[in-house]
Amino acid sequence: SFAAAHSHDEYLARLRSADAALDDPTEWLFSWGYHALWHGHLDRSILDAISPTRPIGIWQRSCHEFYLNTAAIEALGITEDTMQDGTPAASMVDLAAGHWWESGFFTLLLPLVAPVFLTPERLVAGLEQMVRYLHQNGVTAFNEPGAALMPGLWELYEAILGADDTPFSSYFLVDAREQAEAGVEPDDCLAHAAQQIARAPEGKVSFFADQVKLFADGAIISQLMQMKDGYLDAEGRPDPHHHGEWLMTPERLEERSRLYWDAGYQLHIHVNGDLGLEVVLDTLERRMRERPRPDHRSVIVHVATSTEDQSDRIARLGAIVSSIPSYPVGFADTYAEVGLGPERADVMVRNASVLARNVPLSFHSDLPMGPSDPLGMMACAVNRVTQSGRVAAPHQRVSALDALRAVTIEAAFSWRKEDDLGSITPGKLANFTVVDDDPLAVDPMRLGDIEVIGTFFEGRWFPVADASRANRRQAVDARRRSPIEPAVDVHGDHHGCACAVVRHLTSAIDAAGRAA
C-alpha cells in the first residue's frame, strides 16, 4: 500500500513506485483516490508516461470517474465506435484523454473493465477488510442503497457478510438506475425488483422490501452535481466549461419515480446539487399531488448543496434527509477556491436548517467517500471544522444529541426499522456499541477521539482488537491531516484498491442500532 499523495509530483511518484513494485510487466495497475484539485491534471498521455506497456486504471476519489492509459484501452478493445451507444452516456467520455465520468463510466466502461478490476480475489479481500473496518468503528447495521449485483456477488455477500463472526446486519435496496442501464423496461421493473427482494427478504444479509434507490445528478467530489448558478474558476469567475451531469435524466427520474411511488415503494433519491435537488423536489411534489401518500418517508440522500427555500420544501413535502456530514469538513476550503466559491462551499450540508424545520435527519458515509465511523460523523456535524482549522458555517452545526440520534434512531427511521433498531428499548434487538466515554458529555472537539471497545450483536460480545483500535486512531489522525486520505484503514492500495472496489458494490454506510 502507498500513503496518500498531496501534490501532482507526489501522486505521479507514487504511481511510478507502484509500477516498479510489480514483477509481472503485464499485470494491471489500479489506484483509487485521485482528485485534480489536490493532484493536478491527469490524462491518458500522463499515464502513458508512467508506463506505455502496462495497463493502468485510475479510479477517481468520487468513484464516479475513471482514467485509462493507452495499454489499458487497447487491452479492453475500446474504440471510438464502441463508446457511441446513442445515449447521454456517450457525451461523458473523452477517449483521447482516457477519461470516463458518471454514466460514461457506469454504463460504457465498467462492464468492460469489471472482469479485470472487480475480480473475486479483490472482492473477497475488500469485503473482509470492510468487515474489520466497520466493526472497529462500532457499526452494527448498514444499508447499501443501490445494489449492483454482478454474477456471484450475492453469494460472496452471504458467505462473508453473513458469516457467523460478522457482527453486523447488511441491508440492500433495489437500484433503479442499474435496472435502466441494463435495459429493463418500465413494465418489467416491478417484477425485476421483486425477484431481487425475494432472493433475501429477511435475515442478516437481506433486501429491504418495497424500497428503491433512484439517482438525480452527479458526484459532489467530482464537482459534477447540477448547480443552479453554475461553477466558478480559480479567479472566482463563472466557468462556462464546467457543468454538472445527470445520472438519471429528469425524464427518466420522473418515469421511474412514478412507477415505484404508485406501487407503494419508499424512494431513496441520490442528489447533490441545488439544481438537482430542485428537480427531485418537483418530482416529489408531482407524486404527492397525483397520488398522496401519508408517511411516504422519501429519503433525500446526500443533499450536499441546497438553499433555505429548499429546506422549507423538504419539510412541506414530508421528505426526510440523509446527509454526509464530512463534506464541508473535507472539501469546503478547496471548493471555496475552485468551483463553488466561499458562500456555497461553507453551507454545504445544511443539517441545522433541516432540523429547524423538524425534518428527520440521519447521517451516512458513502464509504469510502467519507469515513464509516459514527463517532467521526458526529464530530463532523457538531464541529464543522475544516482542514484549515476554521468552522464552516457555524450556524449549521448541530448538537451532540441530534448527531447521536442521526447515527442511531433516525437512521433506523429512514429504513423503516425504528421498531427493531436505533435505541435500547424492550422489544427491540439488543445490538449496541460500547465506547470508552460519553459522547453527550465530552468536549465536542473530542467526539472523534472516543474509542470503540466493542459491540454486542445478536446476544454475543465482539470486542475490538487492540490492532483495530490502533488502526482507527491512525485513521482519525489521517483525516485531520487531509480530506484526501482514504476513509479506510489501508492508504492508497495501488494493487488491490480492495475497499474502494467493494464501495461501488457495498457503499453508503448508515450506522444504526448503536448506543453509547
Side-chain angles (χ1 to χ4, degrees), residues 57-297:
I58 306 298
W59 210 3
Q60 201 260 4
R61 178 71 172 77
S62 70
C63 294
H64 284 224
E65 299 183 60
F66 216 89
Y67 294 81
L68 296 175
N69 69 344
T70 299
I73 290 169
E74 292 176 349
L76 297 175
I78 294 171
T79 67
E80 288 283 0
D81 289 342
T82 63
M83 293 295 101
Q84 299 300 318
D85 69 342
T87 73
S91 66
M92 303 178 207
V93 176
D94 183 347
L95 188 57
H99 183 201
W100 286 255
W101 62 95
E102 300 298 357
S103 294
F105 165 59
F106 292 115
T107 303
L108 298 177
L109 180 61
L110 186 57
L112 300 176
V113 77
V116 290
F117 185 40
L118 305 180
T119 63
E121 294 77 15
R122 286 197 178 97
L123 290 169
V124 168
L127 285 167
E128 291 175 345
Q129 180 189 27
M130 191 181 75
V131 169
R132 295 191 301 271
Y133 175 75
L134 297 186
H135 178 53
Q136 78 183 31
N137 288 335
V139 173
T140 58
F142 81 80
N143 168 30
E144 152 53 21
L149 297 180
M150 56 189 289
L153 185 59
W154 191 259
E155 289 72 21
L156 286 180
Y157 287 163
E158 292 181 320
I160 297 173
L161 300 179
D164 181 65
D165 59 352
T166 295
F168 52 78
S169 298
S170 304
Y171 300 111
F172 294 79
L173 297 180
V174 171
D175 184 342
R177 183 191 62 175
E178 186 272 336
Q179 286 182 331
E181 292 178 349
V184 178
E185 295 297 329
D187 290 346
D188 299 323
C189 282
L190 293 175
H192 185 270
Q195 289 174 358
Q196 288 195 336
I197 293 167
R199 178 181 300 206
E202 58 185 18
K204 190 173 181 179
V205 183
S206 61
F207 273 89
F208 282 148
D210 301 328
Q211 298 188 38
V212 66
K213 179 70 177 290
L214 297 139
F215 293 78
D217 58 352
I220 186 175
I221 296 180
S222 289
Q223 289 197 356
L224 289 173
M225 62 280 196
Q226 293 281 9
M227 299 297 297
K228 287 183 175 183
D229 296 323
Y231 289 89
L232 305 175
D233 63 20
E235 282 70 48
R237 299 171 303 195
D239 187 345
H241 304 295
H242 188 173
H243 60 84
E245 303 285 5
W246 296 109
L247 281 168
M248 296 179 77
T249 64
E251 295 77 17
R252 176 160 280 174
L253 179 63
E254 172 73 10
E255 171 192 81
R256 303 295 162 115
S257 70
R258 178 185 289 112
L259 185 154
Y260 281 104
W261 177 279
D262 290 353
Y265 275 65
Q266 180 184 357
L267 309 183
H268 299 247
I269 309 177
H270 156 114
V271 62
N272 279 304
D274 55 10
L275 177 58
L277 181 56
E278 197 73 8
V279 168
V280 168
L281 296 177
D282 288 346
T283 301
L284 286 178
E285 191 155 356
R286 285 191 292 274
R287 301 290 77 77
M288 286 292 286
R289 185 172 60 247
E290 294 169 359
R291 186 171 296 202
R293 282 175 48 190
D295 193 31
H296 59 86
R297 296 196 203 181

Side-chain angles (χ1 to χ4, degrees), residues 301-505:
V301 181
H302 305 331
V303 204
T305 61
S306 62
T307 67
E308 289 297 301
D309 288 345
Q310 289 174 330
S311 296
D312 288 335
R313 291 189 71 192
I314 291 171
R316 188 170 68 251
L317 289 167
I320 63 180
V321 167
S322 179
S323 73
I324 300 182
S326 61
Y327 277 165
V329 171
F331 298 100
D333 287 343
T334 301
Y335 286 13
E337 296 175 2
V338 181
L340 297 184
E343 183 177 350
R344 290 186 297 175
D346 274 19
V347 296
M348 287 190 297
V349 190
R350 294 178 185 262
N351 289 329
S353 292
V354 298
L355 284 175
R357 292 158 173 84
N358 296 316
V359 173
L361 172 70
S362 63
F363 296 155
H364 67 278
S365 72
D366 208 17
L367 182 73
M369 304 307 100
S372 179
D373 178 350
L375 290 162
M377 287 188 269
M378 288 179 62
C380 288
V382 170
N383 300 307
R384 292 179 69 98
V385 176
T386 72
Q387 299 300 305
S388 66
R390 66 186 184 86
V391 177
H395 63 286
Q396 290 299 333
R397 291 177 294 188
V398 303
S399 71
L401 177 59
D402 283 329
L404 181 61
R405 289 182 60 87
V407 297
T408 54
I409 189 64
E410 299 296 351
F413 181 82
S414 75
W415 303 349
R416 295 188 182 272
K417 296 286 285 184
E418 69 272 19
D419 292 337
D420 300 316
L421 304 173
S423 63
I424 300 176
T425 305
K428 291 189 179 185
L429 297 175
N431 299 335
F432 58 91
T433 301
V434 178
V435 295
D436 74 344
D437 211 335
D438 183 352
L440 301 182
V442 300
D443 179 340
M445 292 300 296
R446 287 198 55 247
L447 271 170
D449 298 325
I450 294 175
E451 292 207 4
V452 176
I453 307 301
T455 59
F456 275 95
F457 182 74
E458 295 183 342
R460 296 166 58 190
W461 170 241
F462 290 87
V464 175
D466 289 343
S468 291
R469 292 172 71 177
N471 277 342
R472 183 175 181 275
R473 287 193 294 271
Q474 292 172 3
V476 169
D477 290 341
R479 293 199 295 270
R480 288 196 179 101
R481 291 194 303 270
S482 170
I484 59 171
E485 294 284 357
V488 292
D489 56 358
V490 173
H491 301 301
D493 178 4
H494 289 264
H495 286 185
C497 305
C499 201
V501 168
V502 171
R503 178 266 166 219
H504 177 66
L505 304 157

